[in-house]
Amino acid sequence: MLAIRALLKDVFCISLFPNPSQGEVSISIKSSATGTLELKAYDCLGKLVSNEVFQVNEGVSSINTQINASDGKYFISAMMSNGQFYDYDAIVIKK
């Protein structure tokens, strides 16, 4: 299983799996703060195809979501309400 991972200032870690996905995505977030997570997915042309906001608690939070998009490669951007930012790794959708 492949996963997308980011570590910023040792307080924000995000993993998305499975990759490739049929559209259902599990997200694991480790954060030192409680807040909201805005998760965006863009296609290869930069068009926004998904924009969701989730509540995240201090510690580890798990979220399941659906990226409703056709087969292809999508770039992921995530921002916590405290300003921590993770940008542009890819997830592949294969239905």
Side-chain angles (χ1 to χ4, degrees):
M1 170 174 38
L2 296 174
I4 299 171
R5 302 177 195 276
L7 181 63
L8 300 174
K9 301 180 185 174
D10 297 323
V11 294
F12 178 63
C13 181
I14 182 171
S15 297
L16 284 78
F17 52 90
N19 191 9
S21 169
Q22 292 182 339
E24 272 188 47
V25 179
S26 296
I27 306 164
S28 178
I29 300 112
K30 182 178 180 183
S31 177
S32 63
T34 296
T36 57
L37 173 76
E38 183 176 19
L39 184 74
K40 296 180 179 183
Y42 298 89
D43 68 12
C44 291
L45 298 175
K47 179 183 174 189
L48 182 66
V49 296
S50 178
N51 184 16
E52 296 188 72
V53 177
F54 304 97
Q55 182 64 38
V56 174
N57 296 315
E58 182 177 356
V60 177
S61 298
S62 297
I63 298 166
N64 293 312
T65 189
Q66 182 78 27
I67 298 177
N68 293 315
S70 53
D71 289 5
K73 187 175 187 177
Y74 295 88
F75 298 95
I76 304 300
S77 158
M79 183 185 295
M80 286 290 293
S81 53
N82 66 4
Q84 290 178 310
F85 192 72
Y86 165 70
D87 201 14
Y88 295 113
D89 259 319
I91 190 164
V92 175
I93 303 295
K94 286 186 180 180
K95 296 183 180 180

